[in-house]
Amino acid sequence: MRLATWNINSIRARLDRALAFVERTGVDVLALQETKCKDEQFPREPFEQLGYEVVTSGFSQWNGVAILSRVGASDVEVGFPGQPTWGDPAVTEARALGATCGGVRVWSLYVPNGREIGDPHYAYKLEWLARLRDQAEQWLAADPTLQSALVGDWNIAPLDTDVWDPEFFAGRTHVTPAERDAFRAFAEAGWTEVSREHVPAEHTYTYWDYQQLRFPKNQGMRIDLTYATPALAARVAGVSIERVERKGKTPSDHVPVVIDLTE
């Protein structure tokens, strides 16, 4: 099975690219983040014509997650148990969507950005990660043979070599000790970050800002990552970061990460 995750940064703006990507790579499951549309606005039909089931969670022009699967999509969950709320009035944002696809429990995740250190959104981000980590630990404790993947845009660069210039990011979100500890807590709960295991090269990025020629200068960040349970991690045969998708017309600022699984 071939699983991919991609912060598409508006599925309606990049529909043609997404369709070309699934046809080029033959992915069986594609987890999308930042779809930026309501459920009824998601362009389902073109993917359904290619044989994909489409499940979505989107409430507005912000956030939004989806899972496209041609190996089934059952037991769909919008949001994880205990997911924190945000805003006034407080709502559960469209940031987490789970479905069982071909025997693998896939979660498409769009972790809150955090905005600035000290901002309420930063505290929300840390709480969001802690609640998800607690659930991940419970899921694995309940079934040590569970095959599951937490994929998506984590908005955290776990290592200094995951950003183009650590000094540039000093005092900013994505690299703080608290965020990195929150990310590392999933490994302490028994999950494995498989993209690093299979693509260990330093200064390998998945995101480049649109501004200041960040992509041509390769001034990026590695923030699109995949945690897998032990049973699923053992099936990972390879991982690729599809840098080519940052080139050409109207790209997302993120690129897909593709995970190949053995039978």
Side-chain angles (χ1 to χ4, degrees):
M1 191 169 90
R2 174 166 277 189
L3 165 66
T5 178
W6 193 1
N7 179 321
I8 195 70
N9 191 14
S10 178
I11 183 60
R12 290 179 293 173
R14 276 165 263 286
L15 175 59
D16 289 345
R17 289 197 72 118
L19 291 168
F21 170 73
V22 297
E23 293 192 275
R24 174 176 68 83
T25 59
V27 296
D28 299 295
V29 182
L30 174 59
L32 295 172
Q33 302 86 42
E34 210 171 354
T35 53
K36 293 185 174 180
C37 64
K38 298 177 182 179
D39 289 339
E40 60 269 25
Q41 296 172 318
F42 194 98
R44 299 167 178 271
E45 187 175 347
F47 294 104
E48 291 172 343
Q49 290 176 349
L50 294 176
Y52 290 90
E53 292 184 52
V54 179
V55 293
T56 66
S57 175
F59 310 127
S60 68
Q61 73 272 31
W62 310 111
N63 308 319
V65 283
I67 297 174
L68 319 178
S69 174
R70 60 181 186 182
V71 290
S74 60
D75 301 319
V76 175
E77 286 184 81
V78 176
F80 57 84
Q83 181 175 328
T85 58
W86 173 257
D88 184 15
V91 297
T92 302
E93 294 186 299
R95 293 184 175 275
L97 180 66
T100 299
C101 307
V104 177
R105 188 67 178 164
V106 176
W107 280 92
S108 180
L109 304 171
Y110 182 38
V111 175
N113 177 280
R115 298 180 182 169
E116 295 180 359
I117 299 169
D119 190 287
H121 206 261
Y122 180 76
Y124 167 58
K125 177 180 189 175
L126 295 178
E127 182 185 8
W128 201 96
L129 288 162
R131 297 276 187 91
L132 177 60
R133 186 265 184 202
D134 289 345
Q135 282 301 311
E137 185 175 43
Q138 291 177 33
W139 291 328
L140 189 53
D143 181 6
T145 67
L146 176 68
Q147 298 196 35
S148 183
L150 307 176
V151 306
D153 177 0
W154 289 76
N155 270 315
I156 298 172
L159 304 176
D160 280 352
T161 53
D162 292 334
V163 296
W164 61 274
D165 183 359
E167 291 187 8
F168 175 84
F169 287 92
R172 302 172 186 239
T173 59
H174 291 60
V175 300
T176 64
E179 290 167 292
R180 288 176 170 178
D181 286 348
F183 184 80
R184 191 161 41 245
F186 288 83
E188 294 166 356
W191 295 63
T192 299
E193 205 293 283
V194 293
S195 68
R196 175 103 46 206
E197 281 207 338
H198 290 266
V199 186
E202 295 182 344
H203 300 289
T204 300
Y205 307 128
T206 63
Y207 163 87
W208 299 260
D209 194 287
Y210 290 124
Q211 306 299 317
Q212 298 182 343
L213 298 175
R214 295 293 188 211
F215 182 64
K217 296 175 182 177
N218 198 30
Q219 295 176 344
M221 305 173 71
R222 187 171 187 168
I223 56 177
D224 301 88
L225 304 152
T226 296
Y227 264 117
T229 57
L232 187 66
R235 292 180 55 195
V236 178
V239 175
S240 64
I241 296 173
E242 298 291 311
R243 194 176 186 276
V244 67
E245 290 296 338
R246 187 59 175 79
K247 302 177 181 180
K249 185 180 179 181
T250 63
S252 171
D253 43 5
H254 295 249
V255 297
V257 179
V258 178
I259 300 99
D260 284 307
L261 303 171
T262 60
E263 292 296 330

